[in-house]
């Protein structure tokens, strides 16, 4: 077995095996599967995380990888949760999307490849980016709670913490990186 592919913040980015992926996909609701697996979009102003204001981390609903933090969330007026930066740039992958006669940049989870939303160059400082993300693509974890460890890689030992706001390694799994 090859060594895990670790992100700068210490999370294992090795994609799930076919067996792990099948198990993860079986846990999804029909709406989650449509968005995460088939690049769907939830209706605007309907997502459960749109008005979430608590301190914490937003993780990939499929594999549990931390993607965004509450401190980078902002009200964009678009109807979807919006963020100006990911927790770790290595956790979100940009993919050119030419569907529907438009050219956009799709954002996917760097570990499992699930569809999260799109990124646009009209966000606030300091990045000027707007990661427009579907609520059903995310799982909110309040600070102090264990992060999801759906792949059994020891990442459940990590907890979302306010220290990660200034030091991404503070959220890194115990004993890694």
């Amino acid at each position: 077995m090859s060594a895990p592919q670790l992100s700068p913040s210490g999370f294992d980015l090795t994609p799930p095996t076919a067996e792990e992926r099948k198990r993860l996909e079986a846990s999804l609701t029909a709406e989650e599967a449509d968005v995460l697996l088939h690049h769907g979009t939830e209706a605007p102003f309907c997502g459960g995380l749109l008005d979430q204001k608590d301190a914490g981390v937003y993780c990939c609903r499929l594999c549990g990888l931390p993607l965004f933090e509450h401190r980078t969330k902002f009200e964009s007026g678009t109807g979807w949760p919006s963020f100006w930066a990911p927790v770790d740039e290595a956790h979100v992958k940009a993919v050119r999307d030419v569907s529907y006669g438009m050219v956009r940049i799709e954002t996917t989870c760097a570990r499992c490849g699930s569809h999260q939303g799109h990124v646009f160059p009209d966000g606030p400082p300091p990045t000027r980016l707007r990661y427009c993300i579907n609520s059903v693509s995310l799982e909110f974890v309040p600070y102090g709670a264990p992060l999801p460890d759906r792949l059994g890689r020891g990442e459940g030992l990590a907890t979302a913490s306010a220290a990660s706001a200034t030091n991404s390694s503070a959220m890194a799994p115990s004993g890694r990186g």
Side-chain angles (χ1 to χ4, degrees), residues 9-12 147 153-158 169-177:
S9 57
F11 286 85
D12 187 349
L147 294 172
R153 296 179 179 177
E155 294 168 350
L157 300 175
S169 65
M171 198 176 7
S174 302
R176 292 190 183 251

Side-chain angles (χ1 to χ4, degrees), residues 4-98:
Q5 305 166 18
L6 297 181
S7 70
S9 57
F11 286 85
D12 187 349
L13 298 181
T14 306
T17 65
E19 185 177 300
E20 288 170 330
R21 186 163 191 88
K22 185 176 179 180
R23 179 179 48 78
L24 294 173
E25 290 177 4
S27 74
L28 300 175
T29 67
E31 184 181 22
E32 289 168 342
D34 178 55
V35 172
L36 290 161
L37 308 178
H38 307 294
H39 306 269
T41 301
E42 67 190 0
F45 300 102
C46 295
L49 296 176
L50 184 60
D51 295 322
Q52 173 61 260
K53 307 261 188 259
D54 297 338
V57 178
Y58 295 83
C59 298
C60 174
R61 167 56 186 95
L62 187 60
C63 75
L65 185 67
L67 301 178
F68 300 97
E69 258 190 289
H70 85 282
R71 70 179 184 90
T72 65
K73 189 173 189 238
F74 69 98
E75 179 52 53
S76 66
T78 62
W80 291 277
S82 296
F83 305 86
W84 50 263
V87 164
D88 183 320
E89 288 188 22
H91 290 196
V92 178
K93 209 177 241 184
V95 179
R96 188 167 191 249
D97 176 4
V98 294

Side-chain angles (χ1 to χ4, degrees), residues 78-136:
T78 62
W80 291 277
S82 296
F83 305 86
W84 50 263
V87 164
D88 183 320
E89 288 188 22
H91 290 196
V92 178
K93 209 177 241 184
V95 179
R96 188 167 191 249
D97 176 4
V98 294
S99 62
Y100 304 107
M102 298 180 277
V103 177
R104 301 180 290 173
I105 303 298
E106 176 188 14
T107 57
T108 64
C109 173
R111 177 161 57 193
C112 69
S114 63
H115 174 73
Q116 299 294 314
H118 290 83
V119 63
F120 301 95
D122 60 3
T127 65
R128 302 268 183 220
L129 297 175
R130 173 175 53 94
Y131 289 85
C132 189
I133 308 297
N134 293 284
S135 286
V136 297

Side-chain angles (χ1 to χ4, degrees), residues 55-59 139-148 159-160:
V57 178
Y58 295 83
C59 298
E139 175 183 347
F140 178 75
V141 179
Y143 282 157
L147 294 172
T159 58

